[in-house]
Amino acid sequence: MPPDFTVSRRAFLIGCSIAASPLLTPVTFAAAKGDNRLVVIVLRGAMDGLDVVRPFGDKAYAALRPGLAADAATSPDLDGFFALHPAAAPLLPLWQAGELAFAQAVATPYRTGRSHFIGQDALENGTGGADGALTPGHDGWLNRAISQIPGATAETGVSIGQQRLLILDGAQDTQHWFPVIESPLSSQGQSLLDTVNAADPLFAKPYAESQALARTMTGDQVPRNGIAFRQLGTYVAERLTGPSRIASFSLGGWDTHHNQAKTMAEQLADLSDVLLAIKDGLARDWSTTLVLAMTEFGRTARENGTGGTDHGTGGMMIAAGGALHGKKVFGKWPGLGENALLAERDLMPTGDVRAYAAHALRGLFGVEASALEGVVFPGLDRGTDPGLLL
Amino acid sequence: MEPASLLEEIRFGYGPRAGTTPALGGIDPDRVLAQLTADDPSGAAWGRPGIADRYALFDVYRQEKLAGKTGKDTAGFQLKALEKDDAETFTSRPATTSLGFFERLVNLWSNRITISDASGGIARYVQSFRDEAVRPHIAGRYADLLKATLWHPGMLTYLTQTNSTGPHSKLGLRKGIGLNENLAREFLELHSMGTGYTQGDVTQLATLLAGMNNDANGPRVDGRRLEPGLKQILGAAYGDRDPAAEIDRLVETVAQRPETALATAHYLARHFIADNPPADLVATLAAAYTANDTELTPVYRALLEHPAAHSLERHKLRSPQEYAAASLRLLGLSGQETAMQGFNKHSMQVPAALARMGQPVFKALRPDGWPEVAAGWMTPPMMAARVDWAVDIARATGDRADPLALTDFALGPYGTPLLRRAVGGAEQRWEGLAVLLASPDFSRR
């Protein structure tokens, strides 16, 4: 093993451009327009909004959830009607500060089935089709949104994780990074490799970008299935204090058909870690940040026979951030009575989750109304502004 | 059969394999085309269970899932193991084959006509799709390839065709359900024409396809979902009697369209020759396609005979799969070796490495498949993962390697003098090998 290797086993954060590192090019810092920031978290697996924010004020709730809501006594009250899942208690200070909100009974327009596959694609693509069929570009709504933001560059959007997220994929250039463990090579071997790559016009730039950034960063790999969710949040914040203004990543594990009490507690602990780490990492920039956590659909109102819930329709969105007008549960509550449920099983959706995203894009980045309803979410009726932002 | 030449291995295969002696000279179209009808000596070794053999397992898996059964003696566990072996076949079969051109074509057509496990639930079908819908038609008619892929259960599931229902069918009227245009659209957009059709054609085609199904009971059109009446598609009428035959008649018509000829020619030329292929090459291939009733072999011949195929310049970037296979071939490996020092659990875990390079096996992000141009593989994380692969595999195998001899074997006269100097200048043998494998020269074809 060559002893002169100084930055072995490091993680490095990589974008499509060397300018992704604020250490390298402070100039691009200034070039990024505006201070507002948006983080979109795709919660894969269909989060049970009725368990995260519990409608104890609805008479029907307790009977629908005899097992899951058994810990009612330890659920912190939010507004006299809804109470928070106990495992999300670390987020209570955000709620008190007006930096946390929820939108209940929201959904994408996808209605013809309850498939994760179609539902997540529909959520990320932003389609208006009830069958979840993708818009012709097969691209992501956040990508289309960035293309409509005045002054946006290839550095504005960043997709975090091993695979590029569909939500940020498309014609607009965006960044993509995830931590990679590098193997040791002697400095001389490294320099030979640099030389042969620099000589090839196709390779010179992308190769240099990955290697140069690698040399400016230290840290550890993020084990995505492990416990280091705080670290993930810290990395997201790092990107957003550089030239990036829009970041997206996904968190899986919400498909709670069995033993939901245990799984939900773990999921909410992880989600709380990520959100709080983003807040801490952003420091004063948190005040101009909005985080939206969306899921492909909700889950059945009734708990099932295995201590879980099955695929439903109406779901919930989580919003956080200093830019948020929070401490509020948004959305028109449809009720949980037998006749109020969709197909006698699901929370009836009363709002389009895309409308919240559209109003956020308008308020944070000035995306034109016509572009929101034409390009970003074709055919969307945004309706009146719910007042998500301060 | 006669071994391929070095340039044939590089441009039309997966690179030269250790222990073989490539033929002298450049591209010989007859020699390359002979692969299409040759017996594959390693075929038996890589034979995977077909769909008929898997249905029983799917069935048990469904029942056990309903019953909540878990553990090592379940069908779900067997299915996972089967899918893992399928994924390893994706890199190991190209790594060991002597018919590189054939395997490249299997990948190419499986990519143009994609089914993907990106969102789960499809992995169980992919190997059968490649082996049973694509592989048998490599040297046949494109029309037949289109029929086989359209009817494959993996395709019907992936593009959500199976529940598509004619709005005026029995089931449609009773339940108020309707069409899903997903497969109809991608068939026209990605698999065949690409241009020259309207949204009306898509909708009418979706109407024709309503009720299509294929499972353990075989391919059929479900009469309860069948939309009654005539469908007008691309200016011709298709009826409701013998619907399966009408679907095949439509596919035949679409395959014969000039737009399909052009799109297919462009796909081939872009894959093998350049990201922006020469217009005269595309036109030549399209003409060969049209003149031969969608037969593919004459199109391949036109490609192999064109001057662009013989160029000494290598314009294309190897995909991660091609890149990994080329490295394994150079070192005489299959990818399934154990006792590889420096790798986690001493295994190369090639599918995981491909994922880091941007190509998680059988999980193309969208129905248009993996990128066919260099830019799609060159984001910095993907580039870094190639370097990591090169360094890891070189470190594990290169202690006693002769990096200069390997450079000459891999690239012969096509490599740059700069690379040869750099490889020879490394401090250690394994580092010289790392420089070779992580060089642009080695990634180009």
Side-chain angles (χ1 to χ4, degrees):
Chain A
M1 194 69 38
D4 57 345
F5 189 73
T6 50
V7 279
S8 65
R9 307 307 281 184
R10 73 218 167 193
F12 57 110
L13 317 180
I14 313 154
C16 281
S17 160
I18 211 166
S21 166
L23 301 174
L24 290 177
T25 45
V27 182
T28 53
F29 228 140
K33 278 189 190 167
D35 253 353
N36 289 334
R37 292 163 171 83
L38 174 66
V39 180
V40 179
I41 308 176
V42 179
L43 303 171
R44 298 196 192 282
M47 176 183 68
D48 183 16
L50 292 174
D51 197 16
V52 179
V53 172
R54 303 161 162 198
F56 285 116
D58 193 304
K59 290 196 300 283
Y61 184 66
L64 291 166
R65 301 291 183 101
L68 290 174
D71 54 356
T74 56
S75 276
D77 177 59
L78 291 177
D79 60 0
F81 187 88
F82 291 104
L84 196 60
H85 189 289
L91 298 177
L92 268 180
L94 293 186
W95 174 265
Q96 296 304 343
E99 296 178 347
L100 182 68
F102 305 94
Q104 275 287 20
V106 294
T108 70
Y110 170 51
R111 287 294 180 282
T112 56
R114 295 177 178 86
S115 144
H116 292 305
F117 162 32
I118 301 170
Q120 289 174 27
D121 279 0
L123 176 67
E124 295 186 63
N125 169 250
T127 173
D131 62 355
L134 300 190
T135 59
H138 290 170
D139 48 5
W141 63 262
L142 211 42
N143 187 286
R144 298 194 295 273
I146 294 171
S147 75
Q148 301 298 318
I149 296 175
T153 69
E155 291 151 349
T156 301
V158 55
S159 170
I160 295 150
Q162 192 157 294
Q163 278 198 67
R164 227 185 253 273
L165 268 68
L166 172 61
I167 197 171
L168 265 170
D169 212 35
Q172 166 72 36
D173 280 345
T174 55
Q175 294 183 306
H176 166 210
W177 68 259
F178 62 99
V180 179
I181 288 183
E182 244 208 355
S183 305
L185 194 66
S186 74
S187 58
Q188 197 227 3
Q190 183 72 44
S191 118
L192 291 168
L193 200 49
D194 294 350
T195 305
V196 294
N197 277 279
D200 188 304
L202 182 64
F203 282 70
K205 191 162 169 283
Y207 174 84
E209 285 167 359
S210 67
Q211 303 297 306
L213 260 175
R215 285 192 266 276
T216 70
M217 298 288 180
T218 55
D220 294 313
Q221 193 188 32
V222 179
R224 287 303 304 272
N225 298 315
I227 51 164
F229 287 87
R230 275 204 69 86
Q231 204 168 20
L232 175 63
T234 304
Y235 282 147
V236 172
E238 254 176 44
R239 295 296 87 200
L240 291 172
T241 50
S244 295
R245 289 295 172 266
I246 294 180
S248 187
F249 61 94
S250 68
L251 292 177
W254 300 95
D255 195 19
T256 50
H257 290 282
H258 314 276
N259 199 5
Q260 177 167 322
K262 178 172 179 286
T263 313
M264 183 60 86
E266 292 164 357
Q267 292 290 116
L268 289 175
D270 293 343
L271 179 63
S272 301
D273 278 351
V274 171
L275 289 174
L276 294 173
I278 291 174
K279 174 181 189 293
D280 293 349
L282 284 173
R284 64 185 173 84
D285 291 330
W286 175 251
S287 67
T288 52
T289 297
L290 177 69
V291 181
L292 298 178
M294 303 173 168
T295 193
E296 64 262 36
F297 39 72
R299 308 190 72 84
T300 47
R302 248 173 235 98
E303 87 184 50
N304 66 17
T306 54
T309 48
D310 297 314
H311 299 184
T313 308
M316 189 182 76
M317 181 186 77
I318 303 173
L324 176 71
H325 185 68
K327 204 174 181 182
K328 186 170 175 197
V329 180
F330 291 90
K332 182 172 173 290
W333 182 248
L336 291 171
E338 195 73 32
N339 296 326
L341 295 179
L342 176 67
E344 298 175 353
R345 52 172 275 158
D346 301 344
L347 182 65
M348 178 70 75
T350 57
D352 189 328
V353 70
R354 302 175 304 158
Y356 289 91
H359 284 290
L361 289 167
R362 178 107 187 88
L364 292 172
F365 303 111
V367 178
E368 294 291 341
S370 57
L372 286 170
E373 299 184 353
V375 179
V376 181
F377 297 116
L380 171 71
D381 176 7
R382 271 184 307 149
T384 48
D385 188 343
L388 205 59
L389 296 168
L390 281 173
Chain B
M1 72 171 278
E2 195 188 351
S5 72
L6 181 57
L7 192 55
E8 288 165 6
E9 292 279 22
I10 292 173
R11 182 160 297 145
F12 294 104
Y14 287 90
R17 181 159 171 89
T20 64
T21 308
L24 295 175
I27 307 290
D28 175 345
D30 288 330
R31 183 168 55 206
V32 178
L33 290 173
Q35 290 189 26
L36 299 180
T37 47
D39 277 337
D40 183 357
S42 63
W46 297 114
R48 303 286 306 143
I51 194 76
D53 294 332
R54 296 182 186 223
Y55 278 132
L57 193 61
F58 297 172
D59 214 34
V60 180
Y61 172 65
R62 264 192 297 273
Q63 287 161 17
E64 288 179 351
K65 211 174 157 197
L66 282 173
K69 191 175 171 199
T70 54
K72 286 202 169 185
D73 58 344
T74 58
F77 194 83
Q78 286 178 51
L79 200 53
K80 275 272 171 297
L82 206 60
E83 289 169 3
K84 183 168 174 287
D85 289 348
D86 291 345
E88 288 185 353
T89 307
F90 182 69
T91 40
S92 289
R93 185 162 186 172
T96 53
T97 187
S98 55
L99 306 176
F101 183 54
F102 197 103
E103 292 303 316
R104 284 279 298 281
L105 290 169
V106 171
N107 279 299
L108 176 149
W109 297 124
S110 303
N111 195 45
R112 183 179 188 202
I113 307 173
T114 291
I115 70 170
S116 163
D117 187 51
S119 303
I122 302 296
R124 68 186 69 169
Y125 296 113
V126 182
Q127 191 67 46
S128 153
F129 182 81
R130 297 166 61 85
D131 286 348
E132 298 181 291
V134 175
R135 195 175 281 275
H137 301 290
I138 290 302
R141 297 171 66 244
Y142 194 65
D144 294 329
L145 178 63
L146 282 175
K147 285 175 207 164
T149 50
L150 186 72
W151 278 100
H152 192 274
M155 180 60 78
L156 297 174
T157 309
Y158 173 54
L159 291 181
T160 56
Q161 176 62 36
T162 43
N163 289 327
S164 183
T165 306
H168 304 98
S169 66
K170 260 186 224 159
L171 216 53
L173 289 171
R174 183 152 61 79
K175 292 190 160 181
I177 53 179
L179 296 174
N180 180 327
E181 295 181 355
N182 209 356
L183 179 61
R185 182 181 301 109
E186 303 306 16
F187 174 75
L188 292 175
E189 173 69 26
L190 300 175
H191 306 171
S192 59
M193 294 169 67
T195 56
Y197 61 90
T198 64
Q199 174 57 40
D201 291 323
V202 173
T203 307
Q204 287 289 295
L205 176 55
T207 312
L208 179 67
L209 302 185
M212 248 183 130
N213 209 335
N214 190 2
D215 53 22
N217 299 317
R220 64 195 179 280
V221 175
D222 179 352
R224 296 170 310 153
R225 299 183 194 269
L226 177 67
E227 178 76 359
L230 289 177
K231 294 94 190 173
Q232 292 290 337
I233 307 162
L234 301 168
Y238 296 84
D240 53 8
R241 261 186 292 175
D242 198 355
E246 287 293 88
I247 290 170
D248 284 347
R249 187 164 71 87
L250 176 278
V251 173
E252 194 67 50
T253 306
V254 168
Q256 306 273 1
R257 292 281 297 208
E259 295 92 341
T260 304
L262 201 61
T264 307
H266 185 267
Y267 203 92
L268 265 172
R270 188 183 57 173
H271 175 85
F272 282 108
I273 303 301
D275 290 359
N276 289 307
D280 75 298
L281 171 62
V282 175
T284 304
L285 302 192
Y289 178 96
T290 303
N292 291 283
D293 186 30
T294 87
E295 284 286 353
L296 290 170
T297 303
V299 186
Y300 305 148
R301 177 174 288 283
L303 171 69
L304 291 161
E305 287 175 349
H306 192 277
H310 300 254
S311 165
L312 301 187
E313 263 192 82
R314 292 163 299 135
H315 295 291
K316 292 291 296 184
L317 181 75
R318 281 177 168 149
S319 71
Q321 183 226 28
E322 292 161 9
Y323 173 68
S327 348
L328 294 168
R329 291 171 71 83
L330 179 65
L331 299 166
L333 304 170
S334 73
Q336 312 214 337
E337 285 76 10
T338 52
M340 296 287 286
Q341 292 305 317
F343 283 92
N344 187 23
K345 294 182 182 161
H346 304 309
S347 146
M348 284 179 274
Q349 297 171 44
V350 187
L354 287 197
R356 290 193 291 274
M357 296 182 216
Q359 194 176 20
V361 178
F362 300 157
K363 290 176 190 281
L365 201 56
R366 298 197 301 251
D368 58 353
W370 295 117
E372 285 284 349
V373 296
W377 303 119
M378 299 193 90
T379 77
M382 297 174 185
M383 292 289 296
R386 281 193 191 223
V387 176
D388 284 350
W389 164 264
V391 172
D392 284 347
I393 198 170
R395 205 169 34 146
T397 64
D399 277 352
R400 301 229 163 83
D402 180 344
L404 276 177
L406 286 169
T407 303
D408 293 339
F409 183 71
L411 295 163
Y414 310 110
T416 56
L418 174 67
L419 175 66
R420 215 168 180 285
R421 278 203 302 280
V423 169
E427 280 175 4
Q428 303 183 52
R429 288 172 177 271
W430 76 265
E431 290 199 72
L433 177 56
V435 172
L436 165 62
L437 295 176
S439 70
D441 264 324
F442 193 75
S443 268
R444 285 178 176 273
R445 61 166 167 80

